Amino acid sequence: MRAAWIALALLAMPLSACGPAPSPSASPSDAAAPDSGTVAKQPFLLRFTREPATVAGLSRLEDAELAPGATEIRVWIGFGLRIDQQVLILSTSPGGHVKGSALIHFDDDDDDEYVAALLRQCDAPRRDMGMVVCDAPLSTPTDWGAIHARLRQLGIETLPDESAMPTESLVTDGTSMVVEVANAEGYRAYAWSNPDQRSEPQAQVAAEIMQVVENVFEGR
């Protein structure tokens, strides 16, 4: 199973330290601000978004050429041992109109009964590369503009990568998040693993971003 392979790959990554660091003092605006001395780099987990993006018919966001004022945000959640993974996509036009979509993806070679149950719960399944990508069944009408506004308020576009924290903390059987952000000025991606188990203000913001996204899939 791909999920188990990802967990093993995470386990093999070197950690500079174990356990969360003490919480530094910071204002809410500081919590989402990246460290100016941190060199931008792509997170390790980003590579595991490539295949589902291809199956979903999504182009590589880092290659996108967006018009001034247009943005796209992709939030990928999963990567641990859970079988179904989620991706929320929010696109903003230069005029400020927000469109959104919520997709789930999972390995096509997992337990047949479980895959069949997932397929009954999703729409427009696309199958390729040993996986299934489909539209999540949202139980209530979704206000994409309000979701986009909330995520921006939290600082989703500027939150630093977890590697910018003083110590590293990784739980391989938990849940991780990869965020991709693109606009006319450029592209960046960052990741957090189990931020709810860390104490830094930035981790608390990451955990809240994950909760906002998961609420969309749960119809809340």
Side-chain angles (χ1 to χ4, degrees):
M1 293 188 299
R2 185 178 283 101
W5 190 90
I6 294 172
L8 288 172
L10 287 169
L11 186 60
M13 292 174 62
L15 301 182
S16 60
C18 296
S23 174
S25 59
S27 66
S29 60
D30 292 334
D35 181 354
S36 59
T38 300
V39 178
K41 61 180 180 180
Q42 291 189 339
F44 172 80
L45 290 174
L46 183 63
R47 70 192 66 187
F48 298 108
T49 71
R50 304 303 190 197
E51 289 185 3
T54 298
V55 177
L58 302 172
S59 60
R60 289 170 64 101
L61 192 54
E62 60 263 52
D63 298 331
E65 295 183 4
L66 300 180
T71 65
E72 182 165 331
I73 297 171
R74 298 177 186 175
V75 185
W76 304 81
I77 293 180
F79 303 100
L81 295 178
R82 57 184 282 179
I83 294 177
D84 55 314
Q85 321 277 315
Q86 304 168 339
V87 56
L88 181 73
I89 305 168
L90 296 169
S91 301
T92 307
S93 69
H97 177 68
V98 180
K99 295 192 303 182
S101 59
L103 308 177
I104 60 174
H105 63 94
F106 46 91
D107 290 355
D108 207 5
D109 57 358
D110 277 313
D111 178 82
D112 289 342
E113 266 187 49
Y114 194 81
V115 169
L118 287 172
L119 285 169
R120 288 193 295 270
Q121 298 172 29
C122 63
D123 303 317
R126 286 83 89 190
R127 282 182 137 118
D128 197 7
M129 304 174 76
M131 69 173 57
V132 180
V133 178
C134 58
D135 299 330
L138 304 181
S139 58
T140 58
T142 305
D143 187 341
W144 298 115
I147 293 166
H148 182 261
R150 177 56 181 152
L151 291 174
R152 289 200 70 199
Q153 181 186 41
L154 287 169
I156 191 170
E157 295 170 318
T158 56
L159 191 68
D161 186 83
E162 184 178 29
S163 63
M165 297 298 98
T167 61
E168 295 181 48
S169 177
L170 187 63
V171 181
T172 57
D173 61 350
T175 302
S176 297
M177 170 179 73
V178 171
V179 176
E180 298 182 88
V181 180
N183 55 34
E185 285 71 47
Y187 165 90
R188 70 179 294 252
Y190 62 88
W192 283 83
S193 177
N194 302 285
D196 59 327
Q197 298 184 31
R198 301 187 61 127
S199 59
E200 303 93 341
Q202 296 91 337
Q204 294 165 20
V205 170
E208 192 162 354
I209 289 171
M210 290 179 70
Q211 189 60 62
V212 170
V213 173
E214 290 181 340
N215 285 348
V216 174
F217 286 85
E218 294 170 5
R220 292 192 279 150

